[in-house]
């Protein structure tokens, strides 16, 4: 399913990324971590009052909350933090969600499954402390981490979220999708080499086909309804298309939208019309599933 033509702002952004960012993407981790440290210094951590022992960032809803949103940030498991992505949490909070973004350990200092262990611990604590429905949102690596978390929630019999919204999820660290080669020139940010080098930093010597590191290889049965948005030109496009296809085969209510021209995780680029449109669709999807949730979703 396509979302129509691309805006002029998106075309200009893609041209800039392709010319000035893509050639330097492999060297960007260190300066971005420096930016991250600066943002964290200027933005004190907001601990959730009901779970002060969990590292992360809490953004309460504007007005009455309709659900708790568990937000997993991206950054290839190499960069990023809840405070760096607080602006994204605020957008969901304005839509009526209490948002908690857990902090998780980053590679290469902490390889798989460190991040998954951290977010699972945070999720367990939150569902014990919070009544009402939960939803999960994740972008890029956070999207892949969200699916891995869903598998652990299912297998451990924990109270599941009622819906999941994913943006350009990275669910195949083995980089086997056809779009890895088909879109290598078109993608404004990444090449297959970038993806494989990032995956190696995350995995250490472990296999990229481990189903908890790369949930595209997992049994996806029993997962909650999911909405997935991805760009047509991304090298990660087929992570999303295959995830949705496998989820549907397993009986999951899974929806996919493929957007033309947009860069990876464009929803985080709030100045783009497509970012606002994609986020609005995700919020509409999540609210509809919350409204349909059975009473036992309250725990």
């Amino acid at each position: 399913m396509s979302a129509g033509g691309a805006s002029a702002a998106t075309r200009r952004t893609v041209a800039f990324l392709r010319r000035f960012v893509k050639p330097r993407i492999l060297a960007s981790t260190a300066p971005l971590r420096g930016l991250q440290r600066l943002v964290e210094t200027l933005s004190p951590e907001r601990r959730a009052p009901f779970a002060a022992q969990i590292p992360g960032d809490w953004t309460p809803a504007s007005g009455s909350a309709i659900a708790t949103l568990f937000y997993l940030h991206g950054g290839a498991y190499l960069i990023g933090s809840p405070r760096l992505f607080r602006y994204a949490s605020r957008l969901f909070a304005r839509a009526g969600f209490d948002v908690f973004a857990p902090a998780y350990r980053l590679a290469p200092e902490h390889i798989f499954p460190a991040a998954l262990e951290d977010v699972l611990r945070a999720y367990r604590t939150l569902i014990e402390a919070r009544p009402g429905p939960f939803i999960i949102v994740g972008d890029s690596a956070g999207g892949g981490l969200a699916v891995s978390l869903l598998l652990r929630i299912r297998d451990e019999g924990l109270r599941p979220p009622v819906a999941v919204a994913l943006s350009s999820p990275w669910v195949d660290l083995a980089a086997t999708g056809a779009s890895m080669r088909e879109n290598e020139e078109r993608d404004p940010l990444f090449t297959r080499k970038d993806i494989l080098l990032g995956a190696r930093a995350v995995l250490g010597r472990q296999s990229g086909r481990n189903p908890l590191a790369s949930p595209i290889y997992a049994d996806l049965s029993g997962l909650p309804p999911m909405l997935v948005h991805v760009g047509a030109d991304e090298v990660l496009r087929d992570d999303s298309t295959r995830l949705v296809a496998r989820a549907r085969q397993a009986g999951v209510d899974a929806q996919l939208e493929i957007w033309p021209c947009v860069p990876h995780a464009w929803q985080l680029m709030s100045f783009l019309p497509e970012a606002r449109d994609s986020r609005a669709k995700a919020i509409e999807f999540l609210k509809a599933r919350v409204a349909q949730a059975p009473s036992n979703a309250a725990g």
Side-chain angles (χ1 to χ4, degrees):
M1 177 179 180
S2 173
S7 68
T10 290
R11 291 194 296 270
R12 288 193 297 268
T13 299
V14 164
F16 173 83
L17 293 173
R18 184 175 288 120
R19 181 173 180 182
F20 295 106
V21 178
K22 185 174 183 176
R24 301 167 178 83
I25 200 74
L26 288 175
S28 65
T29 299
L32 285 174
R33 279 199 171 186
L35 172 63
Q36 177 179 322
R37 287 191 293 271
L38 176 62
V39 170
E40 291 171 350
T41 299
L42 299 175
S43 306
E45 188 176 55
R46 296 171 179 166
R47 290 294 181 97
F50 48 83
Q53 72 274 31
I54 307 175
D57 202 60
W58 169 247
T59 308
S62 302
S64 299
I66 62 173
T68 301
L69 189 154
F70 198 69
Y71 175 63
L72 299 175
H73 69 78
Y77 298 104
L78 299 170
I79 57 172
S81 74
R83 277 177 278 177
L84 188 65
F85 285 80
R86 183 177 287 169
Y87 70 96
S89 294
R90 285 175 179 152
L91 295 171
F92 286 107
R94 290 172 189 161
F97 301 108
D98 283 340
V99 182
F100 184 74
Y104 57 84
R105 288 169 289 173
L106 299 175
E109 295 86 354
H110 305 282
I111 62 171
F112 172 82
L116 180 56
E117 291 172 347
D118 291 346
V119 299
L120 178 61
R121 186 181 307 112
Y123 185 84
R124 279 200 198 105
T125 303
L126 260 66
I127 61 171
E128 291 172 0
R130 295 278 288 177
F134 271 69
I135 56 179
I136 295 179
V137 172
D139 58 82
S140 190
L145 186 58
V147 183
S148 297
L149 175 61
L150 292 174
L151 299 174
R152 292 294 302 272
I153 291 169
R154 178 198 65 190
D155 294 346
E156 296 192 17
L158 301 176
R159 173 156 56 106
V162 300
V164 185
L166 308 174
S167 304
S168 305
W170 187 23
V171 293
D172 180 12
L173 274 64
T176 62
S179 59
M180 283 289 164
R181 298 189 186 281
E182 291 174 2
N183 283 348
E184 197 159 23
E185 295 298 323
R186 286 192 291 268
D187 191 305
L189 282 172
F190 303 119
T191 65
R192 183 172 182 266
K193 177 184 177 182
D194 298 332
I195 300 299
L196 288 171
L197 287 173
R200 187 47 48 206
V202 174
L203 293 166
R205 296 186 178 183
Q206 301 175 77
S207 171
R209 294 176 183 263
N210 183 311
L212 283 177
S214 299
I216 192 72
Y217 302 107
D219 170 16
L220 302 178
S221 60
L223 299 191
M226 66 173 66
L227 173 67
V228 181
H229 285 185
V230 71
D233 294 340
E234 294 190 54
V235 291
L236 289 176
R237 181 198 65 204
D238 287 353
D239 281 39
S240 290
T241 60
R242 291 179 298 151
L243 174 68
V244 169
R246 286 180 56 81
R248 288 173 176 169
Q249 290 170 359
V252 177
D253 174 8
Q255 300 180 25
L256 173 69
E257 285 197 10
I258 302 175
W259 295 63
C261 187
V262 292
H264 176 71
W266 73 96
Q267 296 86 353
L268 299 174
M269 303 176 188
S270 298
F271 55 90
L272 298 180
E274 288 87 345
R276 297 189 290 271
D277 293 345
S278 175
R279 185 168 56 250
K281 288 190 173 190
I283 289 169
E284 180 183 10
F285 169 83
L286 294 169
K287 286 185 172 180
R289 296 309 185 276
V290 168
Q292 297 166 7
S295 58
N296 63 5

